[in-house]
């Protein structure tokens, strides 16, 4: 979140009639303690001191998935800014800290100098919300970053109203959306303390899925993971030029669309269709930059290294870099729009406020109370049938048909990765390994298709370029086509091997 957004929040709240006055911000010092190896952070324990006014308070908290936030287990005033484990009344909690630290010293990991303003908002229908806004800086291990955070906590009323108020208070400006409380930022701050850059691309992470879970709870876990990948990589694009950011954001959006398709029975049809459409639109916006980055980094630059005497490559690379810079600027503007912010809030709202009695009426959809393993078997079987239908007579497929098969392969891979924890690893691994090898063949095909499009799009703007640049572009297009042609010869072999891999869901 940006500083202007946090400062404007209270002014908007007052103008909308949610509060009568803007609360006064108070100084706050926060120091987090851990071992040099981050033993407490790895154990999900937060130990810190806070100074409000003249009083120091020591608090200990645990992060618990069932609360979706960090829960304070112990809080007690202390006379000075030093850790005193003997003041922790809960003996089990104190013993846990001793066991996790194993005699290692507890040292300050970061120090935050903040201004915090907390107040109560009153919306329609008797809704009461507590809003806390923090601004300042966080320093650790010789590094310092600005910190701007707003937390909205529903005190009374319907959860849906919380999201409506959030949209009104933060209409634009690219929130880094999280379903966790402010204490849930501890992992990021621990990374800062370790000297790492907090804003790094986020890949998809495995989701813990108990076999006993029902469709409803599994859908929430998987969609939450998709939302976190999307939200984090939006921030990466805003704050860095790392080309992995757009790549992971596009993957996150694709995974989201796949998850929404699988779990459409658990949510209202209209909302599922709308969010899938928004994810598809945003994916296309991100895709333009991602394609430029990929063609330049993965295709053109390696070809330039292969042909150092070809004079057109420097200018070709320069034109692509300029196009990518312009595309990144435009994408950042798009990511700060009201449409993108509403999409992020609506996605969290869908997951966190869903009425379990509301869903689709389709007989083809699995009921929300169905065990997730049965749902996974059903979904994987249906997706596999679509893959098989697309791959019939694979050698005779047209370019468009190959592209359609490639998309089906990506969809089933996302689905396999969602449901992998439900099956024995020894059964999933062979199928996934063969699937990835076949996708590599299609990767070369896609490289040729995207490279052709990207380089064709830049040509009308480069009519006066030297012939050497056109020759370099032609060299790249020819090389990608040749690789795709040779790789495609392996398609039949990999397709046959995938077909022989026994579907693990049977």
């Amino acid at each position: 979140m940006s500083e202007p957004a946090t400062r404007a929040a209270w002014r908007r709240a007052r103008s909308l009639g949610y509060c009568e006055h803007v609360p006064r911000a108070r100084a706050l010092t926060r120091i987090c303690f851990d071992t040099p190896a981050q033993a407490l952070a790895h154990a999900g324990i937060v130990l810190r001191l806070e100074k409000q006014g003249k009083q120091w308070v020591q608090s200990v908290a645990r992060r618990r998935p069932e609360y979706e936030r960090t829960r304070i287990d112990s809080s007690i005033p202390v006379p000075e800014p030093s850790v005193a484990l003997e003041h922790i009344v809960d003996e089990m909690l104190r013993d846990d800290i001793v066991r996790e630290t194993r005699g290692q010293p507890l040292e300050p990991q970061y120090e935050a100098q903040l201004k915090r303003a907390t107040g109560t908002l009153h919306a329609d229908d008797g809704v009461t919300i507590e809003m806390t806004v923090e601004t300042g800086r966080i320093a650790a291990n010789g590094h310092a970053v600005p910190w701007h955070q707003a937390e909205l906590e529903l005190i009374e009323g319907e959860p849906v109203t919380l999201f409506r108020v959030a949209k009104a208070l933060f209409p634009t400006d690219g929130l880094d959306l999280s379903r966790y409380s402010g204490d849930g930022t501890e992992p990021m701050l621990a990374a800062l303390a370790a000297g790492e850059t907090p804003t790094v691309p986020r890949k998809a992470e495995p989701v813990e899925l108990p076999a006993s879970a029902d469709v409803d709870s599994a859908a929430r876990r998987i969609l939450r993971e998709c939302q976190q990948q999307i939200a984090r990589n939006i921030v990466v694009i805003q704050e860095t030029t790392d080309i992995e950011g757009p790549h992971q954001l596009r993957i996150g959006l694709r995974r989201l669309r796949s998850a929404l398709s699988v779990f459409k029975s658990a949510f209202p049809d209209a909302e599922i269709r709308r969010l899938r459409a928004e994810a598809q639109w945003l994916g296309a916006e991100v895709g333009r930059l991602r394609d430029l980055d990929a063609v330049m980094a993965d295709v053109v630059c390696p070809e330039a290294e292969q042909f150092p005497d070809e004079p057109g490559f420097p200018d070709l690379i320069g034109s692509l870099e300029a196009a990518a810079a312009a595309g990144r600027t435009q994408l950042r503007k798009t990511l700060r729009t009201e449409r993108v912010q509403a999409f992020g809030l609506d996605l969290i709202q869908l997951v966190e406020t869903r009425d379990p009695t509301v869903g689709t009426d389709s007989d083809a959809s699995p009921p929300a109370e169905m065990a997730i393993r049965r749902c996974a078997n059903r979904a994987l079987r249906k997706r596999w049938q679509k893959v098989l239908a697309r791959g019939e007579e694979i050698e005779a497929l047209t370019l468009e048909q190959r592209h359609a098969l490639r998309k089906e392969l990506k969809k089933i891979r996302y689905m396999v990765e969602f449901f992998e924890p439900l099956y024995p690893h020894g059964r999933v691994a062979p199928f996934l390994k063969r699937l990835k090898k076949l996708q590599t063949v299609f990767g070369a095909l896609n490289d040729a298709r995207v490279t052709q499009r990207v380089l064709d799009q830049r040509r009308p703007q480069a009519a006066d370029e030297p012939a050497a640049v056109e020759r370099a572009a032609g060299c790249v297009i020819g090389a990608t086509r040749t690789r795709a042609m040779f790789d495609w010869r392996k398609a039949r072999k990999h397709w046959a091997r995938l077909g022989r891999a026994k579907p693990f869901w049977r």
Side-chain angles (χ1 to χ4, degrees):
M1 176 184 292
S2 68
E3 183 177 7
T6 52
R7 289 183 175 179
W10 284 114
R11 294 196 299 270
R12 286 199 184 97
R14 185 177 181 184
S15 66
L16 291 168
Y18 294 152
C19 62
E20 294 182 358
H21 64 278
V22 175
R24 185 167 65 90
R26 300 180 181 275
L28 168 68
T29 300
R30 179 184 299 156
I31 306 174
C32 181
F33 289 81
D34 206 337
T35 68
Q38 307 286 314
L40 295 183
H42 293 309
I45 298 174
V46 178
L47 172 61
R48 67 190 187 191
L49 297 173
E50 285 192 354
K51 182 181 182 183
Q52 301 184 34
K54 296 182 179 180
Q55 179 67 65
W56 284 96
V57 175
Q58 174 183 278
S59 65
V60 185
R62 294 180 187 269
R63 288 193 295 279
R64 293 184 173 89
E66 62 266 31
Y67 294 110
E68 308 304 342
R69 60 180 295 147
T70 304
R71 171 176 159 177
I72 301 295
D73 289 279
S74 172
S75 182
I76 189 169
V78 291
E80 55 186 19
S82 61
V83 172
L85 298 183
E86 64 272 14
H87 291 312
I88 301 176
V89 177
D90 187 329
E91 291 184 8
M92 184 177 297
L93 179 60
R94 186 170 65 243
D95 291 344
D96 285 347
I97 294 175
V98 172
R99 183 181 64 255
E100 294 295 340
T101 56
R102 298 179 181 180
Q104 300 177 70
L106 289 168
E107 303 173 349
Q109 298 300 300
Y110 72 80
E111 180 172 330
Q113 297 292 339
L114 307 171
K115 292 284 189 177
R116 174 192 281 176
T118 299
T120 302
L121 309 181
H122 298 282
D124 300 335
D125 304 322
V127 172
T128 303
I129 297 170
E130 183 178 84
M131 181 165 77
T132 300
V133 175
E134 291 182 351
T135 62
R137 293 184 66 80
I138 294 176
N141 199 28
H143 305 267
V145 293
W147 180 252
H148 308 290
Q149 175 180 272
E151 179 178 342
L152 302 179
E153 181 177 357
L154 183 66
I155 304 300
E156 184 178 358
E158 293 297 322
V160 172
T161 308
L162 180 69
F163 292 90
R164 179 170 58 79
V165 170
K167 287 180 183 178
L169 295 179
F170 306 96
T172 59
D173 209 28
L175 290 179
D176 180 5
L177 298 171
S178 173
R179 59 190 174 86
Y180 294 99
S181 74
D183 297 326
T185 61
E186 219 68 40
M188 184 275 286
L189 298 175
L192 178 66
E196 302 170 5
T197 303
T199 309
V200 295
R202 186 188 189 282
K203 295 183 178 181
E205 297 179 358
V207 177
E208 184 178 348
L209 285 183
S212 59
D214 58 18
V215 172
D216 181 65
S217 61
R220 290 175 184 271
R221 291 179 184 224
I222 290 174
L223 289 173
R224 284 167 180 162
E225 161 58 23
C226 293
Q227 184 273 327
Q228 290 292 293
Q229 184 182 13
I230 291 168
R232 175 79 328 227
N233 287 300
I234 285 178
V235 177
V236 170
I237 294 172
Q238 295 283 22
E239 297 183 359
T240 77
T241 58
D242 192 328
I243 65 173
E244 188 70 8
H247 180 46
Q248 291 302 325
L249 176 54
R250 185 162 65 171
I251 289 175
L253 291 164
R254 286 173 172 169
R255 293 176 74 248
L256 172 64
R257 291 168 60 197
S258 293
L260 290 173
S261 295
V262 173
F263 297 114
K264 60 185 178 182
S265 66
F267 304 96
D269 276 339
E271 189 66 3
I272 288 290
R273 288 195 300 270
R274 189 179 68 81
L275 286 173
R276 287 191 69 198
E278 288 297 277
Q280 185 174 21
W281 161 77
L282 184 55
E285 295 292 310
V286 177
R288 285 193 284 272
L289 175 59
R290 170 56 189 166
D291 287 346
L292 276 165
D293 285 340
V295 168
M296 182 170 57
D298 301 335
V299 180
V300 175
C301 288
E303 287 298 320
E305 292 178 2
Q306 290 291 322
F307 301 98
D309 296 330
E310 180 61 54
F313 272 112
D315 287 341
L316 176 61
I317 293 173
S319 67
L320 290 173
E321 288 176 340
R328 185 166 284 102
T329 298
Q330 180 56 49
L331 180 58
R332 286 172 174 169
K333 291 179 180 178
T334 300
L335 294 178
R336 291 188 178 276
T337 61
E338 185 173 353
R339 181 176 181 178
V340 173
Q341 192 134 298
F343 165 69
L345 285 167
D346 288 344
L347 178 56
I348 299 179
Q349 178 180 337
L350 175 81
V351 178
E352 304 301 337
T353 68
R354 191 192 80 78
D355 182 349
T357 65
V358 177
T360 65
D361 297 325
S362 171
D363 293 335
S365 301
E369 66 273 12
M370 176 187 286
I372 186 57
R373 177 68 176 266
R374 288 177 57 202
C375 173
N377 290 344
R378 181 174 176 171
L380 287 164
R381 183 175 65 251
K382 291 174 65 176
R383 181 58 62 188
W384 180 237
Q385 289 170 349
K386 291 182 179 181
V387 171
L388 293 177
R390 290 285 188 187
E392 285 184 345
E393 299 181 3
I394 191 169
E395 290 182 323
L397 296 182
T398 65
L399 288 176
E400 287 189 3
Q401 290 170 332
R402 294 176 188 179
H403 184 54
L405 176 55
R406 172 180 170 271
K407 290 194 291 186
E408 289 298 334
L409 290 170
K410 291 178 77 70
K411 290 175 184 177
I412 196 170
R413 178 174 171 180
Y414 295 146
M415 198 173 293
V416 169
E417 290 172 345
F418 289 150
F419 296 134
E420 185 175 2
L422 299 174
Y423 302 91
H425 176 73
R427 291 173 58 189
V428 180
F431 183 88
L432 196 55
K433 181 179 179 180
R434 295 179 184 185
L435 176 60
K436 290 178 179 179
K437 285 187 175 181
L438 185 57
Q439 283 188 288
T440 300
V441 172
F442 282 90
L445 178 69
N446 190 58
D447 285 347
R449 185 180 63 87
V450 172
T451 299
Q452 175 85 54
R453 187 182 69 245
V454 167
L455 295 184
D456 280 350
Q457 287 174 346
R458 57 165 291 284
R459 284 181 180 179
Q461 303 173 5
D464 298 331
E465 284 182 341
V469 177
E470 289 300 304
R471 188 169 62 248
C475 177
V476 171
I477 292 172
T480 56
R481 285 180 176 177
T482 301
R483 278 195 295 271
M485 180 181 67
F486 278 100
D487 281 357
W488 183 250
R489 294 177 180 177
K490 306 173 187 175
R492 181 180 178 183
K493 177 183 68 174
H494 290 306
W495 175 255
R497 288 179 177 175
L498 181 63
R500 288 195 298 269
K502 184 178 179 180
F504 58 85
W505 54 88
R506 291 180 181 173

